[in-house]
Amino acid sequence: MKTYLVPIDFSETAAHAAEFAAALSHQTEVEHIVLLNAYYVSVYETMLPNPDMVLVTEEEVERNAAERQKKLEDFKQELQKKVRPGVQISTRLNRTHLVRAVVENIASKKAGLVIIGSRGNSSNDDAKIGSHVADISKISSVPVIVVPPACAIEQIKRVVVACDFNKVTYVGPLEPLLALLKRRAFEPLVVNISNRGANKDAEKIAKQTVLYEALMPYYPKYYFIENSDIINGILLFAKKSDAQIVIALPHKYSFLQSLLHTSVSKQLLESSAVPVLLLK
């Protein structure tokens, strides 16, 4: 994860996500943060007038682009003061849909992580979660961190790894997590939440799995918790444990099987007071 891609729509939530990325740079080996602003102007808007009989001219489109680029550069200068020394920040302005712009820049910039605010980046100002956030989380080929506006930006000390111990049968799905933990800067709390009773020895169960051996160098703690509402169970556990981020393994290795199939659980992202990292 040497490059982070951060979509920016100039909202407070997007700025908060960028500041989270800057703070994270002090704990990871990131070298480059790309600030991406995408805007789409339909060809019809420049050819046909809108209902108010106003035609968008090419000059107006170019002026809009120049204004956006200026705002990106100004924001970059402020963010540069907050990143780890040596981290490069660049800006990208794409005249296309945001989801497409993210996919293209993941490839062209070789981004290893997308960091996006849980609100904003949406054509619907009333949406509690930006409509594009769900799409990006689902279609991205790399892990995505969704940053809620309520979360405090602080040093990450504890991470909650939410998964079903027995479903991780090989190391592959753990590789992004291991890459994040390799600096040993975080304390992993591995939690399996069940609605069928939690009177079990979590570490004893974990010892029989691939998960235990893979995470052994990072000295994790294992928990088995009973809660009929898995999402709220995770969030409550994270809050009580004073964790700074929740990490969800890819859906088929987790009890959050519907997380990406439902375009990211709104309950998880709206209710969370901590960022949520969705591994791929």
Side-chain angles (χ1 to χ4, degrees):
M1 299 181 184
K2 299 292 186 180
T3 299
Y4 296 165
L5 180 65
V6 185
I8 296 291
D9 64 355
F10 309 117
S11 66
E12 290 184 9
T13 304
H16 190 64
E19 291 174 1
F20 175 87
L24 190 61
S25 73
H26 292 271
Q27 290 186 265
T28 62
E29 298 177 349
V30 63
E31 299 174 353
H32 185 199
I33 296 176
V34 181
L35 303 178
L36 169 68
N37 179 254
Y39 69 106
Y40 178 67
V41 179
S42 166
V43 64
Y44 297 108
E45 294 179 68
T46 59
M47 295 175 61
L48 300 172
N50 64 22
D52 296 323
M53 301 305 292
V54 176
L55 187 68
V56 179
T57 66
E58 189 60 36
E59 289 76 13
E60 289 173 314
V61 173
E62 293 301 325
R63 184 163 57 250
N64 182 298
E67 291 173 354
R68 286 171 177 268
Q69 187 63 57
K70 174 67 164 54
K71 291 173 74 173
L72 272 177
E73 291 298 327
D74 289 345
F75 186 75
K76 167 188 169 181
Q77 295 304 319
E78 290 302 311
L79 196 67
Q80 192 71 63
K81 302 172 185 177
K82 301 178 181 180
V83 298
R84 187 186 77 248
V87 175
Q88 174 193 0
I89 301 179
S90 63
T91 62
R92 287 284 295 168
L93 185 64
N94 279 49
R95 187 173 160 179
T96 185
H97 290 292
L98 176 61
V99 176
R100 180 174 179 178
V102 168
V103 171
E104 291 176 350
N105 280 273
I106 286 174
S108 65
K109 297 298 182 180
K110 295 181 172 58
L113 179 67
V114 175
I115 301 178
I116 189 168
S118 63
R119 300 179 186 175
N121 289 296
S122 172
S123 57
N124 180 2
D125 292 336
D126 296 327
K128 290 186 177 180
I129 288 183
S131 60
H132 297 308
V133 175
D135 293 336
I136 289 169
S137 299
K138 183 176 182 179
I139 202 171
S140 173
S141 59
V142 300
V144 176
I145 293 182
V146 183
V147 183
C151 80
I153 295 179
E154 56 185 329
Q155 183 181 25
I156 296 177
K157 299 177 181 178
R158 296 183 187 87
V159 300
V160 170
V161 182
C163 69
D164 185 322
F165 298 168
N166 292 314
K167 286 188 177 180
V168 183
T169 56
Y170 74 107
V171 178
L174 294 174
E175 288 178 353
L177 174 61
L178 299 180
L180 184 69
L181 295 175
K182 72 176 183 177
R183 292 187 65 172
R184 302 189 185 185
F186 316 119
E187 177 187 353
L189 310 178
V190 188
V191 58
N192 192 139
I193 297 181
S194 172
N195 58 5
R196 297 187 300 273
N199 296 322
K200 303 177 181 179
D201 186 330
E203 185 158 355
K204 182 177 179 181
I205 294 173
K207 280 182 178 180
Q208 304 170 27
T209 68
V210 172
L211 185 74
Y212 188 85
E213 185 175 350
L215 294 181
M216 189 181 296
Y218 311 102
Y219 305 102
K221 295 178 181 177
Y222 292 90
Y223 301 85
F224 214 110
I225 297 174
E226 179 180 5
N227 196 305
S228 58
D229 186 329
I230 290 176
I231 301 299
N232 280 333
I234 294 169
L235 300 179
L236 183 61
F237 178 83
K239 182 178 180 180
K240 287 184 175 180
S241 303
D242 190 27
Q244 287 75 44
I245 193 168
V246 171
I247 301 176
L249 295 187
H251 66 89
K252 64 182 178 179
Y253 304 106
S254 171
F255 44 73
L256 301 175
Q257 293 185 24
S258 63
L259 197 61
L260 295 182
H261 283 301
T262 57
S263 298
V264 184
S265 168
K266 288 187 177 182
Q267 182 185 1
L268 179 61
L269 300 181
E270 287 181 356
S271 304
S272 180
V274 297
V276 178
L277 170 59
L278 304 170
L279 299 182
K280 297 300 180 100

